[in-house]
Amino acid sequence: LAPHLAHLSRGWKSLLCFIMTDYTFALAVEKYGKHPGMAGKRWYYLGSALVIWLTYQSTFALGLLLGVAIPSSWSLSFAIPLTFIALMMRSVSDRATAVSAIVGGITALALIGLPFQLGLLGATFLGIGVGLSTDRRRSE
């Protein structure tokens, strides 16, 4: 986001950093990538970030209050990874990003048993490396 918001004052940057979430980041990067000369980038970011941040804060509070009423047998732990997969799929736009996502996903599953979630870290680096390599080969 820095190239798009670097011109803002320290106060603006502080506010936007405070309300940043993964979802806001993904939305902004996608929007700014499609419309690099877009006017009012700070307002787009602020609007989407406030909605997402307020929703997150309120649902988190509800979860604290009502979460004990949800039986553990419902196994809702899959909801968060599904949300991130949905966000990621929107950014798969060419062969390099598709290969990167596939390699990273398969590697993460293959290394799932490593301690300290090192498999996720390894999958991230491998996915990025393969994606960059694929992109370089295409541009040569």
Side-chain angles (χ1 to χ4, degrees):
L1 293 175
H4 302 284
L5 305 173
H7 66 284
L8 298 177
S9 69
R10 181 174 290 194
W12 265 104
K13 289 182 209 176
S14 297
L15 171 65
L16 298 181
C17 286
F18 180 73
I19 59 177
M20 179 188 286
T21 63
D22 298 329
Y23 311 111
T24 304
F25 177 83
L27 288 172
V29 167
E30 180 183 7
K31 182 76 163 184
Y32 299 162
K34 289 181 180 175
H35 307 285
M38 172 183 156
K41 289 180 181 180
R42 82 175 81 183
W43 299 111
Y44 173 81
Y45 184 92
L46 181 64
S48 60
L50 277 176
V51 169
I52 292 169
W53 188 80
L54 289 171
T55 301
Y56 176 82
Q57 295 300 325
S58 59
T59 54
F60 182 80
L62 279 172
L64 283 175
L65 297 172
L66 305 174
V68 294
I70 298 174
S72 59
S73 63
W74 286 13
S75 187
L76 296 177
S77 59
F78 68 91
I80 293 174
L82 286 180
T83 303
F84 283 106
I85 289 170
L87 282 172
M88 187 223 34
M89 291 308 294
R90 293 174 53 100
S91 66
V92 175
S93 58
D94 57 17
R95 182 177 179 183
T97 56
V99 168
S100 180
I102 291 167
V103 168
I106 290 171
T107 305
L109 290 173
L111 302 178
I112 203 164
L114 292 179
F116 309 114
Q117 295 188 1
L118 289 173
L120 186 57
L121 187 62
T124 300
F125 287 123
L126 186 60
I128 290 170
V130 170
L132 287 172
S133 176
T134 303
D135 193 45
R136 268 195 217 113
R137 284 189 204 138
R138 183 181 59 90
S139 61
E140 289 177 351

